[in-house]
């Protein structure tokens, strides 16, 4: 069951949703100090493009709301940024594992993620990584905003790649049929690839009379109109 988000507004439909959360024990003061800096990167102009990306950050977002992502794209979590404290090399494996556990919560929709580690120094921190940024403390972290800009650009690359794949898809005229989360359990064993069967079931479930015939007629009418438009110059 989704939780109402009273902060939503019409402009959210043009934004990408990124969740920012602590991993392990992080003081509220330190977390929100970095969170505010992350939120300052709310829009960027993509390099080599005229596109502008708008980002919406949330430090608390129920996973149940993410289940509506396919039906309402603005509710889909596409990015995850985590903040953690780690002061010794022996604690690093456990810290990194917690990061992966956090990613799995939103894993079905995530395009990219980042981990900001504060306190760890030495050989591990010196290894170059794209998904992890190491800082000695919360004062010496001047590149936070630049890291976020690079992260947002990586989201754009994934989105653009998906758009191009869809534009060049020659698999046919098959259109994915969307359903709300509470409908999914009712479609077990149902051929959702069949538009007629799927729509007939949905109509019948909601009490329509002569649902099968009506749905078939509507579908045939849609196909006819599509073919007519395709034949027009």
């Amino acid at each position: 069951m989704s939780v109402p988000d009273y902060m939503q507004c019409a402009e959210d439909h043009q934004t990408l949703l990124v969740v920012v959360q602590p991993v392990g024990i992080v003081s509220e003061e330190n977390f929100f100090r970095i969170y505010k800096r992350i939120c300052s990167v709310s829009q960027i102009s993509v390099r080599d493009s005229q596109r502008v990306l708008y980002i919406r950050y949330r430090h608390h977002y129920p996973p149940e709301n993410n289940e509506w992502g396919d039906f309402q794209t603005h509710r889909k979590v596409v990015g995850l940024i985590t903040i953690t404290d780690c002061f010794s090399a022996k604690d690093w494996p456990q810290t990194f594992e917690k990061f992966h556990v956090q990613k799995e919560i939103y894993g079905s929709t995530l395009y990219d993620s980042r981990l900001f580690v504060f306190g760890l120094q030495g050989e591990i921190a010196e290894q170059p990584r794209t998904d992890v940024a190491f800082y000695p403390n919360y004062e010496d972290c001047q590149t936070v905003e630049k890291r976020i800009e690079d992260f947002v650009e990586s989201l754009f690359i994934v989105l653009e790649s998906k758009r191009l794949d869809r534009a060049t898809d020659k698999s046919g005229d098959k259109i994915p049929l969307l359903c709300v989360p509470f409908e999914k359990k009712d479609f077990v064993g149902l051929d959702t690839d069949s538009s007629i069967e799927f729509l007939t079931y949905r109509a019948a479930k909601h009490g329509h009379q002569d649902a099968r015939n009506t749905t078939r007629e509507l579908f045939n009418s849609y196909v006819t109109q599509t073919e007519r438009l395709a034949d027009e110059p």
Side-chain angles (χ1 to χ4, degrees):
M1 182 176 181
S2 64
V3 179
D5 184 357
Y6 297 106
M7 297 178 64
Q8 286 191 57
C9 59
E11 287 74 15
D12 288 350
H13 289 272
Q14 67 177 348
T15 63
L16 301 179
L17 177 58
V18 174
V19 171
V20 184
Q21 294 182 333
V23 170
I25 301 176
V26 179
S27 72
E28 184 173 314
E29 178 184 356
N30 287 336
F31 172 78
F32 281 103
R33 180 190 304 182
I34 302 301
Y35 179 72
K36 290 179 181 178
R37 292 179 59 182
I38 292 174
C39 291
S40 69
V41 188
S42 59
Q43 68 179 71
I44 70 166
S45 298
V46 181
R47 285 176 292 184
D48 302 323
S49 171
Q50 296 181 345
R51 302 280 296 277
V52 176
L53 287 185
Y54 299 91
I55 313 299
R56 184 168 94 260
Y57 299 98
R58 292 286 184 272
H59 60 80
H60 175 71
Y61 195 76
E64 296 82 3
N65 287 8
N66 198 40
E67 296 177 0
W68 288 78
D70 290 337
F71 197 73
Q72 298 174 313
T73 308
H74 68 286
R75 301 176 74 174
K76 178 189 296 186
V77 178
V78 298
L80 174 68
I81 301 172
T82 55
I83 300 170
T84 189
D85 287 339
C86 183
F87 301 102
S88 66
K90 68 176 183 179
D91 294 333
W92 170 240
Q94 184 179 7
T95 299
F96 196 60
E97 178 62 26
K98 290 180 179 179
F99 171 53
H100 279 285
V101 171
Q102 201 83 346
K103 288 199 297 184
E104 291 176 359
I105 297 177
Y106 306 103
S108 61
T109 61
L110 282 185
Y111 294 159
D112 206 352
S113 58
R114 292 291 186 273
L115 172 63
F116 285 6
V117 183
F118 292 87
L120 187 61
Q121 302 183 61
E123 183 179 351
I124 295 177
E126 293 171 358
Q127 297 175 359
R129 304 180 63 112
T130 57
D131 60 339
V132 182
F134 295 96
Y135 297 104
N137 51 63
Y138 285 91
E139 286 73 33
D140 187 10
C141 53
Q142 291 82 5
T143 63
V144 166
E145 289 81 2
K146 180 62 172 61
R147 290 271 189 172
I148 298 301
E149 291 178 3
D150 293 340
F151 170 68
V152 172
E153 288 199 359
S154 74
L155 296 179
F156 170 78
I157 292 173
V158 176
L159 284 170
E160 186 67 3
S161 175
K162 289 180 176 292
R163 185 188 69 81
L164 294 175
D165 288 344
R166 185 170 299 177
T168 57
D169 185 12
K170 303 299 182 182
S171 60
D173 297 329
K174 179 180 174 183
I175 300 175
L177 293 168
L178 303 179
C179 59
V180 296
F182 57 77
E183 287 183 313
K184 292 180 180 178
K185 60 181 176 60
D186 297 326
F187 298 148
V188 177
L190 186 68
D191 181 15
T192 55
D193 290 336
S194 170
S195 301
I196 294 178
E197 181 178 353
F198 183 86
L199 293 173
T200 299
Y201 178 85
R202 175 178 276 176
K205 181 176 176 61
H206 291 285
H208 293 286
Q209 298 295 324
D210 301 321
R212 182 176 297 276
N213 292 334
T214 301
T215 305
R216 188 176 296 275
E217 291 173 3
L218 290 171
F219 184 78
N220 290 337
S221 176
Y222 168 76
V223 172
T224 301
Q225 295 298 326
T226 302
E227 292 175 347
R228 181 177 300 173
L229 290 172
D231 292 336
E232 291 182 359

